[in-house]
Amino acid sequence: MVTKRSTSYPRLHAEPSIEGIQQAIPFVGTTARLVGAFESATGLALRAEQDPQSNVPETAGVTQPDLASASAHPIELFKARDLAAAISDVLTELNRTRNELLRREAELAAGIPVAPRRREEQHLAIRLEAILQGGAEAIGCHAAGLYQLDDATSELKLRSAWGLPQERFLDAPRSLAEAFADLEAIVGHAVAIENASLLPHWRIPESFPAAVCVPVSSPTDPLGTLWFFADKTRDFTDEQTNLAEIVAGRVASELQREVLLSECIAAKKTDRQQLHATQWQQDHLPNVTPLLDDWQVAGWSGDSDELAAGFYDWFVPPDGSLAIALGVGEGTPVESALSAAALRSTVRSHANYARTVSEVVNHVNETIWFSSAGGHFASLAYGVIRPDDNEIELTALGNVQALIVRDVKSESVRIEDTRLGMEPEAVLKPQRISLASDDLLVVLPAGTAIDELQLGLEQRLRQNRGTSAKKLAALIRQEMPDVPLGLVLRRS
């Protein structure tokens, strides 16, 4: 839309709004044949009308018989109306299907992954210069420049050019507050300056007799402006201005593609590193059943494609006992995974020389305290079973919980309120828990529905107490899929 033709003012081109544009059903093809058949059979003509109760394009196409066009052999009016209503429903559904197909095709086009070529044919700078050259030559201009906004949206800097001296890239950025033509373009208007000598206050960035400025923007944010310069005073037609805006859209797509490409490459690297970290966690889980009479132990961790926030472990210290552990880190997924890995290594290291459960847990707590700057805590359940003994010495603290499933009833294990790393000298008192044949000790992270385990799953565990610890762990994981981590100890 041209708001001013006088050469004393720039010409402003505004894009028409797409709001309110309706897609009515055209009477073409099979639809035209259907309408013609209706007219031949009834003597009444059909016309398409917008549904007054809806502004949604999909409901366009309500059809009614045109009484004024009735022929000499009309049928009963109510029958014609019923037939017209049925045809209206068919046409409305057809229109919805067409519009939905257009949307789906556009979504599929937008869903094409952005992937780098093995060998990029041209650098971004060369591609942008070629786009500017093609656009300038298409509208009869002799130079072009892309001026991009900075992060503060306060300055415009020349980023790509064609037909301009290379020294222009060394010029200081232009202030957006003083670039009136650029401001008008960023608002959404294409600014056509047909005679620059009559409009010096619009401040064309280069000394050319005429120029046109169009906005370069993403769907949500302005990116800058694109200028096309002519070597003589001239008019810019609506078609040429529209073409300049199309070129600006191509420039914006190239800039966004480069950003998306960088983000995709970075995301793929992160995903690959996370996959390696997850595999490392899985590789360091215990997979060898300890050779200890009358005791079975099994555990499970979360999905193999996600970082686990904790670990389960069992091993045999130098004194020949069986040590079991379940630890949980805190923080973001990466922080908790790193904390859990450090906690597991710390437990194993101190268990090689410490004699009692209290000594191991206290040494672990001191290590976490002195190796952290603060704010990094962890939770742990650590127990030891001596050979030829029916008891387990256990200490549990922090965000863990444990349940003992016996033949007749079950009981919860006392959990210390403190967490590892909160204070250097925690007073921890281990518990000695006696387990009879087929009794179970189930250790889970806090936040798990332990009541659900006690009320619902407890009965099934009691019924299957004679099965292996591995099958019991699989049973808990099947019944409670939201539980990311667990450890089952069974005395056979």
Side-chain angles (χ1 to χ4, degrees):
M1 174 180 179
V2 180
T3 61
K4 196 70 176 176
R5 288 291 298 174
S6 172
T7 55
S8 298
Y9 298 91
R11 294 174 58 202
L12 303 182
H13 297 256
E15 290 189 20
S17 174
I18 63 173
E19 295 182 1
I21 296 178
Q22 305 294 331
Q23 298 184 17
I25 302 177
F27 288 159
V28 295
T30 56
T31 306
R33 291 179 56 190
L34 176 62
V35 172
F38 178 87
E39 295 177 358
S40 298
T42 64
L44 300 172
L46 285 178
R47 62 172 178 260
E49 296 179 355
Q50 175 68 37
D51 186 353
Q53 298 181 353
S54 176
N55 292 324
V56 182
E58 290 85 343
T59 60
V62 176
T63 56
Q64 296 179 353
D66 188 355
L67 300 181
S69 64
S71 65
H73 53 279
I75 65 171
E76 296 181 16
L77 184 58
F78 76 92
K79 293 183 179 179
R81 285 177 174 172
D82 291 342
L83 181 57
I87 294 176
S88 174
D89 293 339
V90 173
L91 295 181
T92 300
E93 184 175 352
L94 176 61
N95 197 32
R96 288 178 177 174
T97 303
R98 287 174 174 173
N99 288 330
E100 193 64 27
L101 178 61
L102 290 175
R103 292 192 183 95
R104 291 292 183 269
E105 292 297 332
E107 291 173 358
L108 290 175
I112 299 175
V114 179
R117 302 170 184 158
R118 292 185 178 180
R119 293 182 181 178
E120 284 288 348
E121 295 179 0
Q122 295 176 330
H123 190 271
L124 176 63
I126 301 177
R127 297 200 306 270
L128 289 178
E129 184 177 354
I131 295 171
L132 266 58
Q133 178 182 359
E137 292 177 347
I139 63 175
C141 288
H142 301 82
L146 170 64
Y147 298 86
Q148 198 167 358
L149 286 167
D150 61 352
D151 293 337
T153 319
S154 60
E155 294 180 334
L156 289 161
K157 181 69 173 68
L158 181 66
R159 298 300 183 187
S160 179
W162 174 77
L164 297 177
Q166 295 293 323
E167 292 77 10
R168 292 292 187 270
F169 290 102
L170 302 177
D171 293 347
R174 296 185 295 128
S175 173
L176 179 62
E178 300 175 356
F180 301 117
D182 297 87
L183 277 172
E184 189 68 35
I186 290 174
V187 170
H189 302 130
V191 180
I193 301 177
E194 299 168 353
N195 191 337
S197 62
L198 301 178
L199 302 166
H201 57 282
W202 284 91
R203 300 190 179 184
I204 298 178
E206 298 294 333
S207 298
F208 282 88
V212 60
C213 178
V214 293
V216 179
S217 62
S218 69
T220 56
D221 301 304
L223 302 178
T225 56
L226 179 60
W227 282 85
F228 292 100
F229 305 103
D231 60 355
K232 61 182 178 180
T233 58
R234 51 161 292 183
D235 293 339
F236 291 95
T237 65
D238 292 347
E239 291 77 10
Q240 290 173 333
T241 305
N242 291 335
L243 183 56
E245 291 178 339
I246 293 173
V247 175
R250 171 68 190 281
V251 170
S253 67
E254 284 289 339
L255 295 175
Q256 289 182 299
R257 177 187 179 273
E258 203 70 16
V259 173
L260 290 175
L261 189 59
S262 301
E263 291 179 352
C264 288
I265 293 175
K268 286 184 178 180
K269 290 182 179 179
T270 302
D271 292 342
R272 192 178 299 112
Q273 292 173 356
Q274 180 172 332
L275 181 62
H276 291 327
T278 304
Q279 187 61 46
W280 183 91
Q281 286 183 327
Q282 296 293 326
D283 293 341
H284 285 75
L285 292 175
N287 52 18
V288 178
T289 304
L291 300 177
L292 190 63
D293 294 338
D294 300 332
W295 294 97
Q296 297 179 7
V297 61
W300 75 92
S301 184
D303 296 333
S304 58
D305 57 346
E306 294 183 1
L307 284 174
F311 72 95
Y312 68 88
D313 194 14
W314 60 76
F315 55 93
V316 178
D319 60 2
S321 60
L322 172 63
I324 63 172
L326 184 142
V328 180
E330 296 184 10
T332 64
V334 175
E335 289 176 343
S336 58
L338 293 174
S339 297
L343 177 59
R344 176 182 178 274
S345 300
T346 304
V347 170
R348 282 195 169 231
S349 298
H350 290 302
N352 282 329
Y353 67 87
R355 297 182 178 181
T356 65
V357 171
S358 296
E359 291 180 358
V360 173
V361 177
N362 283 323
H363 288 317
V364 170
N365 179 65
E366 291 176 359
T367 301
I368 294 178
W369 169 267
F370 288 110
S371 62
S372 171
H376 296 282
F377 309 121
S379 304
L380 176 67
Y382 177 75
V384 172
I385 301 103
R386 308 295 176 184
D388 301 327
D389 196 351
N390 64 347
E391 289 184 338
I392 174 174
E393 187 178 3
L394 179 70
T395 294
L397 66 161
N399 297 322
V400 294
Q401 51 193 344
L403 178 70
I404 303 172
V405 180
R406 303 188 186 277
D407 186 18
V408 178
K409 63 177 182 178
S410 301
E411 59 185 270
S412 298
V413 177
R414 175 176 54 84
I415 308 297
E416 302 286 348
D417 293 335
T418 186
R419 289 174 292 172
L420 295 173
M422 293 190 68
E423 50 185 326
E425 296 181 359
V427 180
L428 304 174
K429 297 181 179 180
Q431 308 171 63
R432 298 193 65 87
I433 302 172
S434 177
L435 296 179
S437 179
D438 293 335
D439 284 352
L440 308 176
L441 173 65
V442 181
V443 185
L444 304 171
T448 309
I450 197 71
D451 294 336
E452 177 184 347
L453 180 62
Q454 289 177 312
L455 297 177
L457 190 58
E458 174 188 345
Q459 185 62 29
R460 294 196 59 186
L461 289 175
R462 188 173 290 111
Q463 293 173 355
N464 293 273
R465 289 169 66 237
T467 61
S468 65
K470 186 176 181 179
K471 292 182 178 180
L472 292 171
L475 176 62
I476 298 175
R477 188 174 187 182
Q478 178 182 356
E479 295 295 328
M480 303 175 67
D482 295 335
V483 178
L485 187 69
L487 183 69
V488 176
L489 177 68
R490 172 180 177 271
R491 188 179 180 202
S492 57

